């Protein structure tokens, strides 16, 4: 991470925007803008110039500030990334991306990872050199997003692609939902020691006014129920509440998501 740094910017009630800063050039991309003024203040405070908006998906709490941010910056100086399938719903988009497309941010290289299911055009932004991924409303710390425009099989494969990144990869997600997510996780896996420890750490962090981002791929694999459809304890808990759940991972994920929707 020596050539780059990530600055978290609080947005709305529990959203996060992120400045991804290339230290070598002093430029930054901002992942998901709901409130332009707070993002602009953060950029000013950090002494960086915003040259890109990296929209993960089209929901208002992630792109609602695009137009205002663009209006506040020199015309033509900011690229706006998003997935092609969400393009008509991402304000100001200049660069519709496909899965696997590379892009430059200053001297940094980013890659778009297509992870549909929350919306049909959801993207993650992965910076291999920095070891960081921005997952929007697909992979949360301790949970996953609701399936609005896809199905459980799609969510499974989208989550699988993120879980397949290197273990130490830092995961920056779109919302501070972690405490409630882990409460749900603990209901399904009460004997998971990594989960119990994480809950204690998260409670302490939040009590001190901290944030629970970033997390890591390794920690998510150890504690996030949506990445743990193979766990016998999780399966037994799910089956207790939804007796006719199928044996395959997608059915377990679908049932887990349903339980979370009603939690
Ligand atoms: Zn969303
Ligand atoms: Fe959201």
């Amino acid at each position: 991470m020596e050539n780059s740094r990530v600055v978290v910017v609080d947005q709305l009630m529990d959203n996060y925007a992120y400045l991804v800063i290339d230290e070598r050039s002093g430029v930054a991309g901002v992942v998901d803008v709901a409130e332009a003024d707070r993002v602009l203040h953060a950029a000013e405070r950090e002494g960086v110039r915003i040259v890109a908006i990296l929209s993960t998906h089209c929901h208002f709490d992630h792109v609602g500030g695009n137009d205002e941010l663009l209006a506040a910056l020199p015309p033509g100086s900011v690229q706006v990334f998003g997935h092609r399938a969400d393009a008509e719903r991402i304000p100001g988009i200049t660069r519709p991306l496909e899965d696997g497309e590379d892009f430059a941010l200053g001297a940094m290289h980013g890659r778009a990872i297509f992870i549909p299911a929350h919306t049909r055009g959801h993207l993650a932004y992965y910076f291999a050199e920095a070891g960081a991924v921005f997952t929007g409303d697909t992979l949360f710390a301790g949970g996953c997003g609701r399936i609005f425009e896809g199905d459980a099989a799609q969510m499974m494969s989208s989550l699988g692609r993120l879980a397949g990144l290197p273990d130490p990869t830092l995961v920056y997600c779109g919302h501070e939902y972690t405490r409630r997510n882990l409460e749900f996780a603990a209901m399904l896996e009460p004997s998971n020691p990594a989960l119990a420890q994480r809950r204690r750490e998260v409670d302490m962090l939040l009590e001190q006014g901290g944030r629970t981002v970033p997390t890591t791929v390794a920690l998510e694999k150890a504690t996030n129920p949506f990445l743990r459809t193979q766990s016998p304890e999780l399966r037994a808990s799910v089956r207790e509440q939804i007796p006719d759940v199928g044996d395959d991972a997608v059915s377990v994920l679908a049932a887990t998501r349903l339980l979370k929707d009603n939690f």
Side-chain angles (χ1 to χ4, degrees):
M1 287 289 281
E2 47 205 60
N3 291 321
S4 62
R5 137 177 94 92
V6 174
V7 171
V8 187
V9 186
D10 297 316
Q11 301 275 274
L12 307 174
M13 287 292 293
D14 53 27
N15 275 83
Y16 288 132
Y18 300 100
L19 288 175
V20 186
I21 298 170
D22 172 37
E23 305 272 29
R24 291 159 287 194
S25 61
V27 307
V30 54
V31 179
D32 287 351
V33 187
E35 295 179 284
D37 52 343
R38 295 171 94 171
V39 170
L40 286 163
H41 284 138
E44 200 174 310
R45 191 182 63 231
E46 302 295 329
V48 296
R49 191 162 55 85
I50 295 173
V51 297
I53 297 174
L54 289 66
S55 298
T56 60
H57 67 292
C58 62
H59 287 157
F60 182 77
D61 56 319
H62 301 260
V63 300
N66 281 16
D67 284 338
E68 199 184 331
L69 186 67
L70 289 170
L73 296 168
S77 68
V78 180
Q79 283 190 287
V80 182
F81 300 120
H83 189 263
R84 194 170 288 282
D86 263 9
E88 69 281 14
R89 301 187 289 178
I90 294 177
I93 192 165
T94 61
R95 176 103 189 262
L97 297 171
E98 302 280 5
D99 181 43
E101 250 188 272
D102 291 317
F103 58 89
L105 181 62
M108 301 173 71
H109 294 283
R111 196 173 82 221
I113 305 178
F114 185 41
I115 46 168
H118 179 70
T119 68
R120 60 187 158 84
H122 200 303
L123 278 185
Y125 295 95
Y126 178 52
F127 295 86
E129 189 193 358
V133 66
F134 297 86
T135 59
D137 284 1
T138 299
L139 176 62
F140 287 130
C144 80
R146 285 180 188 253
I147 301 171
F148 288 125
E149 298 180 357
D151 56 26
Q154 234 174 6
M155 183 55 93
M156 178 116 234
S157 92
S158 292
L159 291 173
R161 296 195 62 194
L162 299 173
L165 295 173
D167 272 349
T169 305
L170 299 170
V171 175
Y172 295 88
C173 62
H175 289 267
E176 182 59 63
Y177 290 161
T178 314
R179 191 202 294 265
R180 185 80 176 143
N181 284 343
L182 296 180
E183 204 181 311
F184 174 74
M187 179 192 74
L188 299 180
E189 283 195 296
S191 334
N192 178 341
L195 179 55
Q197 190 193 331
R198 185 179 190 188
R199 289 188 79 200
R200 287 192 295 272
E201 286 166 4
V202 159
D203 284 348
M204 244 165 37
L205 248 176
L206 293 173
E207 258 163 50
Q208 294 160 5
R211 308 178 178 101
T212 65
V213 288
T215 165
T216 64
V217 165
L219 185 57
E220 291 313 312
K221 288 196 292 195
T223 59
N224 188 321
F226 297 95
L227 301 180
R228 296 182 57 74
T229 51
Q230 301 304 332
S231 152
E233 188 181 31
L234 180 140
R235 284 181 165 235
S237 302
V238 169
R239 183 154 288 118
E240 224 168 83
Q241 301 191 49
I242 304 182
D244 64 346
V245 63
D247 264 336
D248 61 296
V250 171
S251 299
V252 174
L253 183 113
T256 306
R257 187 59 259 176
L258 183 69
L259 290 173
K260 180 66 169 65
D261 287 348
N262 299 305
F263 181 65

